[in-house]
Amino acid sequence: MIKLIASDLDGTLLQNGAQELDPLIFDQIRELKEMGIHFVAASGRQYPNLQRLFAPVQDEISYIAENGSLCIHDGKTLSKGLIPRELGNRIINAIHSCSGCECIVSGEQVCYSDSVNEVFRDHMLHVMKNNMQFVDSMDEVREPFLKIAVCNFNGTKDCLTYFQKLFSSEIKVVTSGNIWVDFIAPDANKGTALQTLLDHLHILPEECMAFGDQYNDVEMLQLAGTSYAMSGAAPGISFYADYTTDSVSDVLSELISSTVI
């Protein structure tokens, strides 16, 4: 029996560049809750951004934010992954030297950037709608680094290879959508965060269903007893999942209609 469902956002619940959720998912989350099935938003996005997206049900779900560097349930932080400052500074310097790349550093409630690119600033503030603080230098950031991310509007293929060559021996470097490359804190990913939440709720992995489409979803898909890769997922992601689907909502509808309360 499924007791928990964890879903990625961009490319999974949010497709074709959408920045707002279909209201149907809110009704489904409520129906699932009545059936004793808990919903988890699992994303590379920041926690306040996820709360905004799920505003109608924001107090009824749990959150895995920043690709697993932050796990929050009932408003309480269950786990937090941190990137060592010295490593973080080297990554930031490498991003600054890479043409077309913009950098953000995630704190718990705010993302920081020293970018002066107005297109990127507009994207973060008015498309992504992140809580942003723009600084003159990343040296001004005093809180711990939860995640570092690279935005490249030309795509991730070249810069992913570049950053993996530089840092893959020290930190996990993965795609997180079509224009993002994320540096995930050591020992933090969506899978480890999900395991923390499952332990807290006394739910077994085999009682969990997960959805994802990118390499930052792999550990979560591997952990869940039932897993779905999106049909438009990054190459190779379906290898880590039990099934493929075009729509999370379609799978949830089938689960809701077939489950006897």
Side-chain angles (χ1 to χ4, degrees):
M1 178 180 175
I2 301 298
K3 295 183 179 179
L4 183 144
I5 294 171
S7 179
D8 171 54
L9 271 289
D10 294 282
T12 303
L13 274 177
L14 294 171
Q15 295 197 27
N16 302 315
Q19 294 297 324
E20 300 295 336
L21 289 164
D22 184 335
L24 172 62
I25 191 64
F26 306 134
D27 294 332
Q28 291 180 320
I29 288 171
R30 295 185 186 104
E31 290 184 79
L32 290 167
K33 183 179 180 182
E34 290 179 3
M35 296 161 55
I37 302 174
H38 188 63
F39 187 86
V40 184
S43 175
R45 292 182 180 233
Q46 66 173 182
Y47 174 49
N49 187 295
L50 294 176
Q51 285 186 300
R52 177 188 61 79
L53 283 168
F54 286 92
V57 293
Q58 67 174 263
D59 296 327
E60 301 176 52
I61 69 174
S62 299
Y63 300 89
I64 293 172
E66 306 291 2
N67 279 332
S69 288
L70 202 57
C71 180
I72 295 177
H73 175 73
D74 282 344
K76 298 179 180 178
T77 300
L78 300 184
S79 65
K80 186 188 299 185
L82 302 177
I83 297 175
R85 183 60 63 109
E86 186 274 336
L87 172 59
N89 287 339
R90 285 192 283 117
I91 292 170
I92 291 168
N93 289 336
I95 295 170
H96 285 157
S97 68
C98 187
S99 176
C101 291
E102 306 295 341
C103 176
I104 64 169
V105 170
S106 296
E108 200 157 332
Q109 294 288 334
V110 176
C111 287
Y112 301 89
S113 178
D114 57 1
S115 174
V116 295
N117 183 329
E118 292 298 331
V119 174
F120 173 72
R121 287 187 174 217
D122 181 75
H123 182 79
M124 297 309 300
L125 291 172
H126 303 120
V127 179
M128 295 292 293
K129 298 181 181 178
N130 266 23
N131 286 0
M132 294 294 301
Q133 182 174 333
F134 292 99
V135 295
D136 292 329
S137 168
M138 288 301 198
D139 292 337
E140 297 176 32
V141 181
R142 298 302 178 203
E143 67 173 304
F145 294 175
L146 293 184
K147 188 188 76 177
I148 299 174
V150 178
C151 176
N152 190 317
F153 291 118
N154 295 319
T156 61
K157 182 180 178 181
D158 292 338
C159 61
L160 174 65
T161 301
Y162 172 71
F163 292 123
Q164 285 180 331
K165 183 177 180 180
L166 287 177
F167 298 108
S168 61
S169 64
E170 298 178 87
I171 192 170
K172 188 165 187 179
V173 187
V174 296
T175 52
S176 181
N178 294 327
I179 62 172
W180 291 98
V181 172
D182 285 0
F183 297 82
I184 303 175
D187 301 320
N189 57 62
K190 291 184 184 181
T192 57
L194 179 58
Q195 184 65 67
T196 296
L197 181 61
L198 293 176
D199 290 343
H200 181 78
L201 297 175
H202 305 291
I203 294 174
L204 299 174
E206 52 263 39
E207 298 170 320
C208 174
M209 178 183 289
F211 298 84
D213 78 310
Q214 287 286 340
Y215 297 104
N216 60 338
D217 298 313
V218 167
E219 291 87 357
M220 179 173 73
L221 295 174
Q222 289 177 308
L223 176 65
T226 304
S227 57
Y228 287 82
M230 304 308 294
S231 56
I237 296 301
S238 61
F239 174 81
Y240 300 99
D242 300 308
Y243 309 100
T244 59
T245 183
D246 294 325
S247 167
V248 175
S249 289
D250 286 353
V251 176
L252 298 187
S253 292
E254 185 176 344
L255 176 64
I256 290 167
S257 63
S258 65
T259 301
V260 178
I261 303 175

